[in-house]
């Protein structure tokens, strides 16, 4: 299986040949170029980690929301301290994930699913 990139919008298609039309921007098959093996390997190799990072990101959003509820509930200083710490750590980790994934996109470690 090969990877083909739309030169117009960057959509990546996997298959034996380029699609008839780009699903995202609608241009014809001729606007697709095959991604060279080394670059394609990089995309495929990064796919699993990218998915893990995105899953982690959504769990961290949940942690942030729980922590906000706990801070609001304000039972006692010990609990609030834990909720504040969890909120800060989740937020920082989310920002780290965003920076990391932006780096992956710039370095071509992105594109399959
Ligand atoms: Zn396109």
């Amino acid at each position: 299986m090969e990877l083909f990139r739309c030169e117009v919008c960057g959509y990546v298609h996997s298959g034996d040949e380029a699609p008839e039309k780009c699903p995202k921007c609608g241009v014809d098959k001729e606007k697709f170029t095959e991604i060279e093996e080394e670059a394609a390997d990089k995309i495929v190799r990064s796919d699993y980690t990218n998915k893990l990072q995105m899953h982690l990101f959504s769990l961290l959003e949940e942690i942030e929301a729980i922590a906000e509820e706990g801070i609001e509930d304000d039972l006692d200083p010990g609990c609030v301290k834990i909720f504040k710490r969890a909120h800060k750590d989740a937020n920082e980790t989310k920002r780290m994930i965003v920076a990391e994934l932006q780096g992956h996109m710039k370095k071509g470690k992105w594109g399959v699913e």
Side-chain angles (χ1 to χ4, degrees):
M1 196 157 58
E2 315 295 334
L3 295 179
F4 301 86
R5 178 177 279 123
C6 174
E7 291 168 28
V8 176
C9 74
Y11 179 88
V12 174
H13 171 83
S14 59
D16 294 328
E17 54 185 293
E20 289 307 314
K21 280 192 182 303
C22 176
K24 183 169 184 294
C25 73
V27 295
D28 288 333
K29 194 176 194 165
E30 304 82 71
K31 291 287 184 187
F32 276 82
T33 49
E34 187 172 340
I35 299 173
E36 287 181 26
E37 197 181 334
E38 198 181 325
D41 285 349
K42 215 196 249 185
I43 291 173
V44 172
R45 170 61 191 89
S46 316
D47 188 48
Y48 179 60
T49 293
N50 290 339
K51 279 182 190 157
L52 292 176
Q53 295 278 14
M54 290 189 284
H55 188 191
L56 187 57
F57 187 94
S58 71
L59 293 175
L60 290 164
E61 297 229 287
E62 232 178 286
I63 291 170
E64 271 188 308
I66 291 167
E68 281 164 17
E69 282 180 43
I71 292 165
E72 176 106 354
D73 185 44
D74 197 16
L75 179 68
D76 58 53
C79 288
V80 171
K81 187 179 175 188
I82 290 168
F83 290 129
K84 281 187 173 168
R85 161 87 162 272
H87 190 272
K88 181 176 179 284
D89 288 351
N91 189 267
E92 279 177 4
T93 308
K94 273 173 59 190
R95 290 164 196 270
M96 288 166 67
I97 290 170
V98 169
E100 185 65 25
L101 292 182
Q102 279 174 339
H104 285 197
M105 289 180 209
K106 284 184 199 139
K107 292 178 203 150
K109 292 176 169 179
W110 188 272
V112 189
E113 290 161 57

